[in-house]
Amino acid sequence: MNATEKKHPSVVFRLGHMGDVALTTGVLKHWHDLSGDTFVFVTRDNNLPLLENHPAVTQAIGLSDADIRDGGWVRKSGELARLFSGHTLLDLHGTLRSRLLSLRWKGPVRRYPKYSLARRLFERSHNKFLQTKLEAVNVPQRYALTLDQTPPPPTSVVPRIFLTDRERAAAAALLAPIKGAPPLVGLHPYATNPAKQWPSTHWLALIDLLESAGYNWFVMGMNDAPLKDGDKRDLTNGTDLRTTCALLDRADVLVTGDSGPMHLAGGVDTTVIAIFGPTAKAWGFYPAGPQDVVLEKNLKCRPCSLHGARSCARGFECMVDTEPSTVLETIRSVLELPRQSTRPPDNAKTAAH
């Protein structure tokens, strides 16, 4: 390539849920910092807010449900292949849908190692060797292996959400009526699959403990039944995706289950305490900030599924047996630590807001 020839940006393809896309954002920043690479990102249209203001993303393309259904995807994949002919495709999804796109792609195609066989074998056998292998390289590190020869350190590819000053100010105004002196604890008590949800009685007990300890709190997320409906500190269903990220930016710590918001919190440099039950760190979808904590029980039946969708004859003791008092002590321990960050000094969260 001569000095006047412009390099095509690679096209990143990742659909999935909010958390799946959030986990790519640190990897894109990692590649951008290493080589100045920029990217076109193709995802579901409801994930587009995660990519706003990202320095490595020059264009984000949102797909509707109609675009990715059977007949629609045949048409849309051909359209994308023609539009970006000659560009490199980075397949960070690895499904039949992305394979069809790859077959039609008019340029190089790169993929990441999903460790699908190892995951299936571990799910069935709970073999310790496989567990160690899977936990050694989390999902963002696996994404990075699409271009990198070796996995980067996990803290170098944690999610990165780029907020504006206006978004931060809006979150501060939203919290002003409910936030006193720090610390401020964010609570996300919901999950796509109920099996991954800590019991609501435990969440309510934790709130009582937080108040007794003098900690401020707020609830965020989307759910048909808000945890503390009518309480001004329960912001359930009250914020969009960018505002949710800005609220998490104001928090000193987030307590959540295995959920998308735990990756959003990492993206704004907020420490995460995640309660895992049917799922496990071995799947690679765990918070990897320097002070993040995963609380989980060592039970022979864990993990029982990739997404926590199976029923349980034991009443999900993996979730129930994590006590609110344990979570409070973990919050205390985290808040007592000297603040560490994965951000450059000018962007790091160095003190309570």
Side-chain angles (χ1 to χ4, degrees):
M1 181 166 55
N2 61 47
T4 61
E5 188 179 353
K6 185 177 180 179
K7 181 181 178 182
H8 286 317
S10 295
V11 178
V12 176
F13 182 81
R14 187 51 164 108
L15 303 182
H17 296 292
M18 169 186 65
D20 301 316
V21 175
L23 285 171
T24 71
T25 57
V27 181
L28 299 179
K29 185 64 167 59
H30 161 72
W31 287 331
H32 183 68
D33 290 344
L34 282 179
S35 59
D37 286 351
T38 58
F39 305 90
V40 174
F41 203 110
V42 181
T43 186
R44 291 179 181 269
D45 49 16
N46 58 341
N47 290 325
L48 293 178
L50 297 171
L51 305 169
E52 291 180 18
N53 310 314
H54 198 298
V57 179
T58 57
Q59 182 181 0
I61 298 174
L63 304 178
S64 67
D65 288 342
D67 287 330
I68 59 179
R69 291 195 183 111
D70 299 337
W73 186 236
V74 172
R75 175 190 58 79
K76 193 66 179 181
S77 61
E79 178 185 312
L80 290 169
R82 290 190 297 273
L83 181 61
F84 295 104
S85 177
H87 295 240
T88 297
L89 174 65
L90 305 182
D91 178 6
L92 300 187
H93 203 158
T95 61
L96 289 174
R97 189 175 284 115
S98 66
R99 294 283 180 168
L100 175 59
L101 178 62
S102 299
L103 288 172
R104 309 185 75 178
W105 199 256
K106 300 175 174 62
V109 177
R110 303 290 296 270
R111 295 189 177 89
Y112 80 105
K114 292 186 72 170
Y115 299 160
S116 298
L117 179 58
R119 289 193 307 182
R120 291 191 188 97
L121 290 174
F122 176 63
E123 182 180 349
R124 289 166 172 78
S125 69
H126 296 171
N127 179 273
K128 293 297 183 182
F129 173 79
L130 290 172
Q131 179 180 2
T132 301
K133 176 182 177 179
L134 288 167
E135 289 184 357
V137 185
N138 67 16
V139 166
Q141 291 174 291
R142 297 172 199 176
Y143 286 158
L145 289 172
T146 310
L147 296 179
D148 294 3
Q149 294 297 314
T150 57
T155 53
S156 71
V157 287
V158 294
R160 297 293 301 272
I161 307 297
F162 294 87
L163 297 170
T164 65
D165 290 342
R166 178 176 294 184
E167 289 167 337
R168 290 189 175 93
L174 191 59
L175 289 171
I178 65 175
K179 181 178 182 294
L184 177 63
V185 180
L187 306 174
H188 178 256
Y190 313 121
T192 304
N193 291 306
K196 296 197 296 183
Q197 187 168 306
W198 205 37
S200 59
T201 52
H202 284 31
W203 285 108
L204 294 171
L206 176 61
I207 286 175
D208 290 341
L209 292 172
L210 290 171
E211 292 182 345
S212 297
Y215 293 174
N216 296 289
W217 57 270
F218 68 92
V219 178
M220 44 75 63
M222 304 292 290
N223 200 60
D224 292 337
L227 181 68
K228 295 275 285 186
D229 199 14
D231 193 306
K232 63 183 179 181
R233 293 164 291 186
D234 190 335
L235 303 176
T236 303
N237 303 324
T239 60
D240 61 19
L241 187 50
R242 296 291 298 183
T243 306
T244 296
C245 293
L247 287 173
L248 291 171
D249 180 60
R250 304 295 301 181
D252 297 290
V253 62
L254 171 71
V255 182
T256 180
D258 179 4
S259 68
M262 72 179 175
H263 304 309
L264 301 184
V268 294
D269 204 24
T270 293
T271 298
V272 177
I273 298 171
I275 305 166
F276 276 34
T279 57
K281 289 178 67 176
W283 301 152
F285 301 97
Y286 59 87
Q291 293 172 322
D292 293 345
V293 178
V294 173
L295 297 176
E296 54 187 342
K297 293 295 182 179
N298 184 21
L299 301 174
K300 291 182 179 179
C301 56
R302 290 188 62 245
C304 61
S305 67
L306 182 58
H307 300 294
R310 293 181 181 171
S311 60
C312 176
R314 302 173 63 164
F316 293 107
E317 62 181 292
C318 55
M319 295 296 288
V320 174
D321 286 359
T322 297
E323 296 288 345
S325 57
T326 300
V327 177
L328 179 67
E329 288 306 312
T330 307
I331 293 170
R332 282 201 176 110
S333 298
V334 165
L335 292 176
E336 289 172 357
L337 294 172
R339 180 67 194 165
Q340 296 183 42
S341 175
T342 60
R343 304 295 190 265
D346 58 335
N347 293 322
K349 189 185 298 184
T350 56
H353 293 281

